[in-house]
Amino acid sequence: MLYKNLKSLFFLLKWEEIGEVDEDYAPIHTYQVCRVMEQNQNNWLYTNWILTEGAQRVYIELKFTLRDCNSLPGGVGTCKETFNMVLKENRYIKVDTIAADESFTELDLGDRVMKLNTEVRDLGPLTHKGFYLAFQDLGACIALVSVRVFYKRCPFLVKSLAEFPDTIPGSEASQLVEVVGHCVNNSLPLYEPPRMHCSTEGEWLVPIGKCVCKPGYEEISGACQVCKVGFYRSLLESPGCSKCPPHSVARQTGATVCTCEDGYYKIESDPSNMACTRPPSAPRNAISNVNETSVFLEWSIPLETGGRKDIRYNILCRQVLPEGRGLDECGPNVRFLPRRVALSNTSVMVADLQSHTNYSFLLEAVNGVSELAKDHPKQYVSLNVTTNQAVSVVRKGHTGKSSIALSWAEPDRPNGIILEYEIKYFEKEQDSSYTIIKSKDTEMVVEGLKPSSVYIFQVRARTSAGYGAFSRRFEFQTSPYRDERAQASIIAVAITLALVLLAVVAGFLLSGRRCGYSKAKQDPEEEKMHFHNGHIKFPGVRTYIDPLTYEDPNQAVHEFAQEIDVSSISIERIIGAGEFGEVCCGPLRLPGKREIQVAIKTLKVGYTEQQRRDFLWEASIMGQFNHPNIIRLEGVVTKSKPVMIITEYMENGSLDTFLKKNDGQFTVIQLVGMLRGIASGMRYLSDMGYVHRDLAARNILVNGNLVCKVSDFGLSRVLEDDPEAAYTTRGGKIPIRWTAPEAIAYRKFTSASDVWSYGIVMWEVMSYGERPYWEMSNQDVIKAVEESYRLPGPMDCPEALYHLMMDCWQHERTNRPKFDEIVCLLDKLIRNPSSLKKLVNSSHRYEGKSGSAFTLICIAVLLFRTCKLPFTQIFHQMPTTST
Ligand code: AMP
């Protein structure tokens, strides 16, 4: 608020002008009148013409003293204690009658106390350029000390980069005068012109809108300053000048945009703060995998992405014409899945190529600025692919009632070295189920066929490039039931059959098994996959070599494990704790291979040489195995620190924890599928001559497809690593609950003791990770097992599975089934799910040789479980039984 005093001069009518001093003896000038003794007073004091200067409302501040009539001597009846203030524009208007808050007396005069009154009145709306004021006395005793006439103004103001001029308020008391501001130099109104409102009190109120510095300028201390070289400001909304983003420059002050350096580009939709970018380099690590007349191409993202995320890939396909006649575009018949250009993934399937033909693929990476970069040479990675030639003719050799010998010729121009052949066959008109067997030779005998039946055969070759197309279909028939050999020795066969039958029946009865285990005979060189029932057998596998046989343990590691460059691995997160250090996971990118997720076991820092050897021991063992149910070793990192073992990543972690987390969530068939996988892995290990010694659900890993894989092959696993391992009376640490009695008693570890452990794993799986023998002590477990106690069937466990468990827990190890028998039986159960319907219940638990004792023990266990009595207390009350 600003005041402006208006000038005025007085002229008097019966008022007197007096020079006096105030209470501080400072000289003052007053106008007085005091004609209280006389009747009919009408005394005027006028001001000069007072210019309003445009103000429509003015204020009058009066300072005066007034005599108290009561303090005057008696007889002065006309005495007044007020006076009038009058305004004249074109006529006289009484403004107000002014009274004193405090009037003075004789006494005050004696004391020279003035008792000054201050009164303010406002006048308006004024309509003329000026006015007069007058003070009318009607018989009071007044001294007018000062008259101040002024008006209020809203002062010049700079707010939000807008200037608002000095403004005179409106005439009405509550009126606001709207004033539009003027943007300061180099600024602009944002959205709307800035406005403020001037109140009658001379205050600026209600700001609306604002100004901002124009692009190329920024606000500093209420003014707009130009952006310096190397800085820019493009948007009115941005707070200040910003440094030019990477690969762009502003060579002059006041830049509103930065320009890209040579070789770098921007597209319209790129935000102004984004760096200038360039086209990507070529894709990397392109690989192909041929499958018949399709090829799957895969590559890694380019090393240089050009600084952009919008990378897409285009494929150029050309067929190599024979006899050096050059290249020809692939033509419209070749299909690209999902498409040929603008691929966002780093793979594509190219289908409907011609068989046994050379193709050249160019893979190009492009991004948003590739179109602008006309001078930038296109960068491709090229990939030459040859589709495999099909096997042309399959011939029939010797034919039996259940077998047919086949032979075929190697394709004329195989696409690389032939690794193996696949023979696909099925009974004619039953092609919904077929079998595939593999052979390394160009001939093989297909067995297990039905007599007098027609079969369809097709053969295809696999090279390192992938599979060739299957040959056309060949139809061959097996001999009638009585073949020539059978005719020649029918009586001998009959006798033999009778004997075999007798032996089988006797064996069946003696073993007490309800389920027979039949060992399938296979050619060790073949792998046979019956897709109808999922049976895969890997016979004739290599023998496991104990790394101990190597003088230098490092040699064993490098014999069986591939050294991986640490730069191919990135560690993303920790997933567990191993004996030697953390277990992590992350992607592994090996040159020419697609990226896979791996588990990374690390050896903690500060290890001894012995610990390093023990750690890598596991890799020397694992590296010898190659089976879908054994954890696969990808390699080791030994040339840098930390030393690491890299294995395939199993999304669901260890089986025991996984089952506990998913209690009751799986179907019986899913559980049997898991058990079948574990048995298959164990069959492979036992075929290799490897005894695991610590088979337990905690040492099985589960992947995202519920495939179970045997893991934990450490040297010291049974001794140190396994928290379940306990010292036995004969020394050495053993996981008692999972270990066969002969292994506990005299360390007789064999595949048969692994079978015992497998039975315990079955029990763990069927009870969703329950702890075997619950809280019984190890000593009680040993004792109970020796006295023929066996775990009772888990709740809802199919009887057939419980029988199998009980067989695995036969005291006499030679009576336990072999792993291939277990796999075979589980396959039968999977094929015939109704065999899993009958469940174990408490009244129908195992009743073997020591049936009564067993039932009692079951009751003991139940008592233990329900009453929490110490097991031994119940147990020792039992009659002893012989095994
Ligand atoms: P280990 O030292 O082999 O007993 O591993 C310790 C823990 O790390 C296991 O219990 C798993 O939870 C986890 N782990 C080990 N290897 C893998 C793997 N290949 N995939 C996923 N988790 C794993």
Side-chain angles (χ1 to χ4, degrees):
M1 180 171 56
L2 207 75
Y3 298 101
K4 180 79 197 279
N5 290 324
L6 299 172
K7 286 194 192 94
S8 67
L9 283 171
F10 290 89
F11 63 97
L12 327 167
L13 205 65
K14 297 188 194 159
W15 285 62
E16 291 170 90
E17 191 178 350
I18 308 256
E20 273 196 283
V21 288
D22 66 8
E23 55 263 50
D24 299 322
Y25 296 97
I28 53 170
H29 213 66
T30 65
Y31 293 92
Q32 295 185 1
V33 64
C34 193
R35 297 177 179 234
V36 291
M37 299 301 183
E38 297 160 46
Q39 298 286 325
N40 300 326
Q41 291 302 305
N42 189 9
N43 307 314
W44 289 83
L45 173 65
Y46 296 93
T47 68
N48 250 344
W49 176 247
I50 305 170
L51 273 171
T52 59
E53 298 179 357
Q56 294 175 55
R57 177 163 293 274
V58 296
Y59 297 80
I60 321 291
E61 182 200 73
L62 304 176
K63 288 194 173 163
F64 62 94
T65 58
L66 200 88
R67 176 79 188 250
D68 178 359
C69 287
N70 291 332
S71 72
L72 289 169
V76 281
T78 60
C79 175
K80 298 276 179 326
E81 289 185 354
T82 58
F83 64 95
N84 294 329
M85 184 160 74
V86 177
L87 166 79
K88 182 184 178 257
E89 279 189 294
N90 50 355
R91 60 196 174 90
Y92 287 96
I93 301 167
K94 182 175 150 190
V95 175
D96 205 356
T97 300
I98 312 285
D101 291 332
E102 288 186 286
S103 44
F104 67 91
T105 61
E106 196 74 44
L107 225 61
D108 298 321
L109 278 177
D111 295 345
R112 294 191 53 79
V113 175
M114 290 296 285
K115 288 203 174 157
L116 202 59
N117 294 284
T118 304
E119 293 289 330
V120 179
R121 298 289 181 274
D122 59 328
L123 310 179
L126 299 177
T127 49
H128 290 64
K129 281 188 179 168
F131 60 91
Y132 297 97
L133 279 181
F135 304 95
Q136 183 189 23
D137 167 51
L138 296 171
C141 192
I142 318 160
L144 196 57
V145 177
S146 87
V147 176
R148 193 159 73 90
V149 183
F150 61 94
Y151 61 89
K152 293 179 183 177
R153 294 190 304 180
C154 294
F156 172 82
L157 174 75
V158 179
K159 187 175 169 71
S160 303
L161 292 179
E163 290 174 349
F164 296 91
D166 190 301
T167 303
I168 297 169
S171 56
E172 298 301 327
S174 57
Q175 188 182 350
L176 292 178
V177 176
E178 186 184 90
V179 179
V180 177
H182 171 75
C183 289
V184 303
N185 271 353
N186 299 314
S187 73
L188 300 169
L190 184 70
Y191 312 129
E192 58 177 322
R195 280 172 292 146
M196 287 275 262
H197 297 85
C198 180
S199 76
T200 41
E201 287 306 306
E203 283 167 341
W204 288 110
L205 302 175
V206 203
I208 296 171
K210 64 172 186 174
C211 300
V212 287
C213 293
K214 60 188 189 188
Y217 290 81
E218 65 185 335
E219 183 184 343
I220 296 176
S221 315
C224 291
Q225 312 271 340
V226 70
C227 292
K228 289 185 285 187
V229 171
F231 287 76
Y232 77 106
R233 185 165 160 270
S234 57
L235 302 172
L236 291 183
E237 289 83 356
S238 7
C241 300
S242 310
K243 202 167 169 10
C244 284
H247 306 300
S248 66
V249 285
R251 294 207 169 84
Q252 270 161 15
T253 58
T256 55
V257 284
C258 300
T259 46
C260 289
E261 288 170 3
D262 281 353
Y264 287 86
Y265 309 88
K266 227 173 202 186
I267 52 175
E268 236 169 63
S269 54
D270 287 348
S272 61
N273 61 353
M274 182 172 152
C276 290
T277 53
R278 55 181 175 177
S281 56
R284 292 172 307 144
N285 308 330
I287 52 167
S288 63
N289 197 348
V290 177
N291 193 358
E292 304 190 356
T293 54
S294 302
V295 58
F296 183 72
L297 305 179
E298 212 178 355
W299 56 91
S300 318
I301 57 166
L303 204 56
E304 168 63 70
T305 60
R308 304 187 66 89
K309 293 205 172 84
D310 52 0
I311 295 194
R312 297 286 178 272
Y313 303 95
N314 301 329
I315 313 290
L316 188 65
C317 169
R318 289 169 307 169
Q319 186 182 336
V320 182
L321 298 173
E323 293 143 17
R325 283 188 286 120
L327 300 163
D328 197 8
E329 293 278 322
C330 280
N333 292 340
V334 173
R335 280 185 305 134
F336 292 83
L337 301 168
R339 61 188 162 274
R340 191 182 69 77
V341 291
L343 290 159
S344 48
N345 286 342
T346 55
S347 63
V348 69
M349 173 71 94
V350 189
D352 299 343
L353 296 167
Q354 289 176 27
S355 167
H356 189 64
T357 305
N358 292 333
Y359 287 92
S360 163
F361 292 97
L362 293 182
L363 316 183
E364 179 202 15
V366 290
N367 64 13
V369 297
S370 294
E371 278 288 297
L372 299 175
K374 297 276 182 240
D375 304 341
H376 198 275
K378 287 200 168 183
Q379 293 191 36
Y380 296 103
V381 60
S382 77
L383 201 63
N384 295 325
V385 175
T386 307
T387 49
N388 288 0
Q389 192 179 20
V391 169
S392 52
V393 182
V394 180
R395 289 191 188 79
K396 183 174 75 159
H398 175 80
T399 308
K401 66 181 189 315
S402 63
S403 64
I404 295 177
L406 300 175
S407 64
W408 55 88
E410 194 177 276
D412 289 346
R413 282 162 296 182
N415 180 17
I417 297 166
I418 294 181
L419 302 174
E420 64 184 4
Y421 293 94
E422 269 192 7
I423 301 96
K424 175 177 169 185
Y425 66 93
F426 52 90
E427 212 180 326
K428 194 174 175 187
E429 272 141 29
Q430 307 222 339
D431 54 358
S432 60
S433 122
Y434 61 87
T435 304
I436 285 185
I437 48 180
K438 295 184 181 191
S439 169
K440 298 227 182 297
D441 276 330
T442 53
E443 58 184 23
M444 82 167 314
V445 179
V446 181
E447 291 176 323
L449 306 177
K450 288 192 204 157
S452 297
S453 304
V454 177
Y455 283 86
I456 307 292
F457 296 91
Q458 285 180 285
V459 178
R460 68 174 177 177
R462 183 168 75 87
T463 66
S464 56
Y467 283 104
F470 271 113
S471 65
R472 66 178 175 80
R473 294 173 169 208
F474 289 87
E475 273 185 35
F476 301 126
Q477 187 169 9
T478 48
S479 306
Y481 186 72
R482 290 186 173 193
D483 70 3
E484 57 278 24
R485 276 177 297 169
Q487 281 166 3
S489 55
I490 194 157
I491 300 165
V493 169
I495 294 169
T496 315
L497 276 174
L499 285 174
V500 168
L501 200 65
L502 203 65
V504 167
V505 170
F508 181 80
L509 290 176
L510 281 175
S511 68
R513 286 182 196 144
R514 299 193 192 154
C515 203
Y517 306 110
S518 61
K519 196 166 178 171
K521 273 222 156 57
Q522 296 286 331
D523 180 341
E525 285 303 307
E526 297 159 18
E527 284 176 12
K528 183 168 185 171
M529 291 179 269
H530 296 280
F531 285 90
H532 185 54
N533 54 27
H535 173 98
I536 304 174
K537 168 120 177 106
F538 294 84
V541 277
R542 288 177 299 115
T543 311
Y544 154 77
I545 301 164
D546 189 340
L548 265 182
T549 54
Y550 284 75
E551 242 173 64
D552 175 7
N554 282 321
Q555 197 195 336
V557 176
H558 289 111
E559 177 89 28
F560 300 120
Q562 181 198 354
E563 178 73 28
I564 289 180
D565 192 288
V566 72
S567 64
S568 324
I569 307 160
S570 359
I571 293 184
E572 272 175 356
R573 64 196 160 87
I574 298 176
I575 51 171
E579 184 207 345
F580 293 97
E582 285 156 345
V583 184
C584 313
C585 78
L588 168 70
R589 289 177 214 94
L590 287 179
K593 289 200 180 165
R594 69 192 167 100
E595 179 182 299
I596 54 165
Q597 198 68 6
V598 288
I600 304 145
K601 281 191 179 185
T602 55
L603 174 60
K604 57 188 165 230
V605 286
Y607 53 80
T608 62
E609 191 47 35
Q610 185 59 44
Q611 280 172 322
R612 181 180 187 274
R613 259 184 239 154
D614 291 354
F615 176 71
L616 289 173
W617 192 271
E618 183 170 19
S620 317
I621 298 171
M622 229 192 289
Q624 299 185 42
F625 304 141
N626 176 15
H627 186 274
N629 296 104
I630 305 290
I631 196 86
R632 190 181 66 250
L633 178 74
E634 294 296 341
V636 290
V637 177
T638 61
K639 301 218 163 104
S640 59
K641 281 181 185 173
V643 175
M644 300 177 198
I645 296 178
I646 316 296
T647 63
E648 66 181 303
Y649 175 61
M650 302 290 284
E651 294 85 339
N652 283 316
S654 54
L655 178 61
D656 60 334
T657 326
F658 176 65
L659 288 170
K660 281 179 209 155
K661 257 197 249 159
N662 295 285
D663 195 355
Q665 299 298 308
F666 301 119
T667 61
V668 169
I669 288 290
Q670 279 177 310
L671 296 176
V672 178
M674 293 184 204
L675 290 174
R676 198 258 176 221
I678 302 166
S680 172
M682 288 308 296
R683 174 179 61 182
Y684 174 86
L685 293 183
S686 74
D687 284 348
M688 288 265 300
Y690 179 82
V691 179
H692 190 288
R693 296 179 178 218
D694 196 10
L695 178 59
R698 65 183 168 278
N699 290 330
I700 305 291
L701 291 168
V702 189
N703 75 9
N705 298 326
L706 288 194
V707 177
C708 289
K709 307 202 180 193
V710 181
S711 81
D712 228 331
F713 301 100
L715 163 74
S716 56
R717 69 193 187 279
V718 179
L719 307 170
E720 305 299 340
D721 187 13
D722 190 340
E724 283 293 349
Y727 286 100
T728 62
T729 44
R730 289 175 60 98
K733 269 174 109 182
I734 284 176
I736 301 290
R737 280 153 220 274
W738 283 263
T739 308
E742 73 277 6
I744 297 176
Y746 49 97
R747 306 189 65 78
K748 183 77 187 162
F749 286 97
T750 57
S751 288
S753 63
D754 277 351
V755 166
W756 178 290
S757 312
Y758 178 79
I760 304 287
V761 172
M762 284 186 76
W763 190 89
E764 291 183 273
V765 169
M766 297 315 294
S767 57
Y768 281 94
E770 182 78 84
R771 179 168 165 75
Y773 310 95
W774 304 278
E775 302 312 316
M776 281 171 69
S777 74
N778 281 340
Q779 273 319 307
D780 288 342
V781 171
I782 296 173
K783 220 166 175 183
V785 168
E786 274 306 321
E787 293 181 14
S788 291
Y789 167 67
R790 297 294 182 269
L791 283 164
M795 216 166 54
D796 298 333
C797 175
E799 201 177 62
L801 292 179
Y802 185 55
H803 278 297
L804 178 57
M805 289 179 211
M806 293 300 284
D807 280 347
C808 294
W809 302 328
Q810 289 280 345
H811 190 270
E812 177 53 50
R813 70 173 191 277
T814 53
N815 288 342
R816 295 174 204 154
K818 306 286 178 293
F819 277 114
D820 60 354
E821 292 168 334
I822 296 175
V823 175
C824 183
L825 175 75
L826 293 175
D827 281 341
K828 273 190 195 161
L829 297 178
I830 293 169
R831 275 202 303 273
N832 182 14
S834 60
S835 60
L836 295 164
K837 287 239 164 76
K838 192 163 182 202
L839 304 182
V840 183
N841 57 40
S842 50
S843 63
H844 191 257
R845 289 211 169 134
Y846 182 75
E847 301 205 338
K849 283 173 244 166
S850 53
S852 58
F854 177 76
T855 312
L856 281 172
I857 292 159
C858 289
I859 295 164
V861 169
L862 285 172
L863 274 174
F864 168 79
R865 289 171 75 181
T866 50
C867 313
K868 296 281 176 219
L869 286 173
F871 186 86
T872 44
Q873 208 177 314
I874 308 160
F875 187 77
H876 287 307
Q877 293 161 3
M878 304 277 171
T880 49
T881 56
S882 62
T883 49

